Amino acid sequence: MRKVLGLMTVAALLAACDDRSAEDTTTGGGGGVTPTVPTGGEIAVGDVEAVSFDGETLLVRVALDGDSVLEEYETAGPGDTVNGYQRFTQNVSSLNRSYTALAGEAGDGSLVAVVTADGGQFNRFFGGASVVQNDLSAPAGGLVSYQGTYAGLNNAGPAVPPAVPGAPPTAFTSDAATVTGQVFLNADFTDNKVEGAIYDREWDNDGTPTELDDLTLIVGDIAAGGTFSGSVEIGQGSEATGAGAYSGAFGGTDAAFAGGVLDIDPAAYGEDADANLKEFGIFIIGQCPGGNAESCFPSPP
């Protein structure tokens, strides 16, 4: 749960500051929270407590989203996607929290990734992301590269007027806004290291596309079970600034897929960003066809 600021203008950001428990630890390099790694191959950041996604039905456990422990979210169908990830919503009424969720699954079912967030209500918002590792046969060693799409949610979406005219403004809800991009990842299964970048980032700012700076995934460790984690930075060289944390897991035969979650701080939106803006995101990406880094970016025909 995170604190929400008031809406200053139509274009102002609904933002949130961290309200973390004493169990959370800040990663080295600045920004972000060290991800929770529960048993059973699941990695989670933020407020998401559990997810289940089979490619069609999405179940989520997060506070105040409905009556069930695992709430089933709604979707308009397979065509309702954000950068290749299926879009879901959950809203009990116009005076309850309005949740958006994005979900993806590896082609062989070895990984599932889900991100969900509302835009805020009653001065707080909830958001988080999770990757579930269902299967992994790791390679014996060597360098492997991955490339694919990224999708995230931030707490800067538009306010949602209630359906009942007598409701007080303090009860108004807000939607989350979507962020899209591309992911490039290099993994070293000999030395158990991983690094990469999120690039071509774009924020759907209430229907207006807003370009965002690239993010660097600083080199992190690959653990014995095929999970990984590291810090996120924006900028290059001496100008680099901590902007959050990433974590994830490899899945499939010879680690054919990589899935990740990101916990992104306001620094990722530039020096003038609201100090309380927050973003959570996911990716599930496959190995590049040629097996090496350059094959991720083939020359145009």
Side-chain angles (χ1 to χ4, degrees), residues 5 19 21 65 78 82-83 88 90 111 140 144 146 162 194 208 214 229 245 248 256 259 267 284 289:
L5 296 181
D19 187 14
S21 69
D65 66 343
V82 174
N83 214 21
F88 295 81
Q90 169 60 19
L111 294 170
V144 180
Y146 301 80
V194 63
T208 302
D214 297 344
S229 62
I284 291 185

Side-chain angles (χ1 to χ4, degrees), residues 7 14 91 93-96 98 119-120 157-163 171-176:
L7 189 65
L14 279 169
N91 181 219
S93 80
S94 65
L95 289 176
N96 291 95
S98 179
V160 181
F172 287 13
T173 66
S174 294
D175 285 331

Side-chain angles (χ1 to χ4, degrees), residues 36-172:
T36 302
V37 185
T39 58
E42 182 175 358
I43 295 173
V45 293
D47 303 307
V48 174
E49 297 186 45
V51 299
S52 173
F53 181 57
D54 62 3
E56 295 181 359
T57 302
L58 174 65
L59 304 176
V60 177
R61 183 174 186 179
V62 67
L64 296 164
D65 66 343
D67 296 327
S68 303
V69 174
L70 279 170
E71 194 70 31
E72 182 174 347
Y73 282 35
E74 298 180 353
T75 182
D80 188 7
T81 61
V82 174
N83 214 21
Y85 298 89
Q86 192 163 349
R87 181 179 179 273
F88 295 81
T89 58
Q90 169 60 19
N91 181 219
V92 174
S93 80
S94 65
L95 289 176
N96 291 95
R97 291 180 180 271
S98 179
Y99 276 97
T100 299
L102 307 174
E105 183 181 33
D108 61 357
S110 60
L111 294 170
V112 165
V114 177
V115 58
T116 186
D118 75 322
Q121 187 183 23
F122 300 118
N123 290 352
R124 295 293 186 274
F125 94 101
F126 292 87
S130 180
V131 167
V132 180
Q133 181 197 63
N134 295 318
D135 178 67
L136 171 65
S137 171
L143 292 171
V144 180
S145 296
Y146 301 80
Q147 196 274 336
T149 60
Y150 167 84
L153 297 169
N154 69 30
N155 60 320
V160 181
V164 287
T170 53
F172 287 13

Side-chain angles (χ1 to χ4, degrees), residues 209-235:
T210 302
E211 292 185 2
L212 299 171
D213 290 336
D214 297 344
L215 299 176
T216 301
L217 309 181
I218 302 303
V219 61
D221 294 324
I222 301 174
T227 60
F228 56 85
S229 62
S231 60
V232 177
E233 292 183 357
I234 185 172

